[in-house]
Amino acid sequence: MSAPTFNVPTMPGLPVLGDPINDINVSWLQSEAGVVMGALIGALPAASQQKVRGIPFIADPTVGEVNAFAGCDDQRMPFMAITDGLLEVEAQIAQFKATDEVFGTRKLDEFLRMLAQRQRPGQPIVRPPVGFVDPVQHTDARKVERQRQLYHEQLAFVLGHELGHHHLGHTGCANGQGGSRGVTPADLGRMLSRTLPIFNQPNEIAADVAGVNNLLAAGARQQGYRWTEGGAMLTLGFFASLDQLTPATILFAFEQTHPHPLLRQPVVQQTANTWRMTGGAPVFTFPGFGG
């Protein structure tokens, strides 16, 4: 059983000027991530919700860093972090996938190849040149609406996964007593370097399952479009393709701190299928990999 498909509206509507995803407005991208985080926390069971409520959500502006993670500060207080680079990449994926869906183009593939050829570790995220997308298509109301749906859906998976690490007890510091009193980007880099390249495979699978259940439960509460696992599959598919095009270079920390996307995609799809077949019951579909 696959995710519901998106049906492109037939009428284009008026052009949308100044859209924050089209413009890669980082402040807006950050604020929407906070909105998604709030929706995810609100959809958790009460016991899990209590563990993560009030944990600070930090935006990391480190240039060229593409990652998200749940962690504990030096006082063993929990926090959540996502980099501006990951927000930007997700926004680009969303807008080019939306363009492809509405107009039958291959802009996401073109962006992927551009990133593989031109991106360098630690450098600003490569942006396509002006005119990469036809101006009329770029501002089309159907495309703009769809890219917002995808952006939220993609973030719901990324953030749901990281929240899972906290409420499943993987970090050991999320106990409902609040969160970090202040973590700087420099602190984030130091804490991340302290843990790389080690990750716990069972915990990563458990966090993916928890994240998918969380995003679908939160999506079911949405007015209008309801989140599916499509954003998760889109994000993982993009990074899997990037790995294939850049086999000798790891461009982003996201690829170091998480299992390979091709291993994660079947977990995501099976979890979503089970969630729908059980009417939304958060059944853990991989025995032996619980939190």
Side-chain angles (χ1 to χ4, degrees):
M1 182 182 297
S2 59
T5 58
F6 170 71
N7 296 315
V8 179
T10 56
M11 299 300 292
L14 295 174
V16 179
L17 303 179
D19 178 74
I21 293 181
N22 283 348
D23 296 343
I24 309 297
N25 182 324
V26 174
S27 295
W28 185 90
L29 299 179
Q30 292 171 346
S31 68
E32 288 301 289
V35 170
V36 171
M37 177 76 77
L40 291 169
I41 292 174
L44 286 171
S48 298
Q49 195 176 115
Q50 178 60 32
K51 292 179 182 178
V52 298
R53 189 178 296 281
I55 292 179
F57 183 37
I58 301 161
D60 180 1
T62 304
V63 174
E65 193 70 40
V66 173
N67 206 5
F69 59 100
C72 311
D73 68 14
D74 292 331
Q75 285 72 50
R76 295 297 299 166
M77 298 297 287
F79 66 89
M80 293 270 294
I82 192 167
T83 67
D84 291 348
L86 181 53
L87 295 176
E88 178 170 339
V89 169
E90 293 285 28
Q92 298 283 33
I93 294 171
Q95 69 162 312
F96 299 135
K97 177 63 174 177
T99 302
D100 292 346
E101 287 184 354
V102 175
F103 298 104
T105 55
R106 300 296 297 271
K107 291 301 174 181
L108 185 57
D109 286 345
E110 291 181 36
F111 174 66
L112 176 65
R113 290 193 295 271
M114 181 183 300
L115 204 64
Q117 293 166 3
R118 295 170 48 191
Q119 185 67 44
R120 297 294 179 268
Q123 296 299 308
I125 305 303
V126 170
R127 294 189 179 183
V130 175
F132 180 77
V133 174
D134 178 275
V136 174
Q137 296 179 358
H138 192 57
T139 58
D140 185 279
R142 298 166 299 174
K143 174 257 189 184
V144 169
E145 178 184 7
R146 180 56 175 156
Q147 69 193 21
R148 291 198 182 199
Q149 294 170 353
L150 288 171
Y151 180 69
H152 290 153
E153 198 170 75
Q154 290 165 258
L155 287 185
F157 170 66
V158 170
L159 298 176
H161 171 100
E162 302 304 336
L163 270 175
H165 281 309
H166 273 318
H167 66 72
L168 292 174
H170 300 162
T171 60
C173 59
N175 52 21
Q177 302 302 309
S180 175
R181 302 299 182 264
V183 175
T184 69
D187 294 330
L188 292 175
R190 175 173 50 81
M191 293 174 199
L192 192 57
S193 66
R194 196 167 57 199
T195 60
L196 286 175
I198 301 168
F199 56 77
N200 180 298
Q201 185 85 355
N203 285 355
E204 289 297 320
I205 293 175
D208 272 348
V209 172
V212 172
N213 285 325
N214 191 189
L215 81 87
L216 293 175
R221 299 179 172 202
Q222 301 292 308
Q223 297 295 319
Y225 182 79
R226 297 185 172 189
W227 299 333
T228 75
E229 73 278 13
M233 299 296 281
L234 179 59
T235 293
L236 295 175
F238 182 86
F239 282 105
S241 297
L242 188 61
D243 282 342
Q244 292 172 347
L245 291 174
T246 58
T249 305
I250 295 179
L251 293 178
F252 302 129
F254 185 84
E255 299 161 274
Q256 292 177 289
T257 57
H258 299 82
H260 195 279
L262 292 179
L263 300 177
R264 301 175 69 187
Q265 285 182 315
V267 175
V268 167
Q269 193 61 69
Q270 183 175 339
T271 302
N273 291 346
T274 300
W275 189 91
R276 280 189 288 272
M277 286 188 295
T278 58
V283 177
F284 204 95
T285 56
F286 294 83
F289 291 96

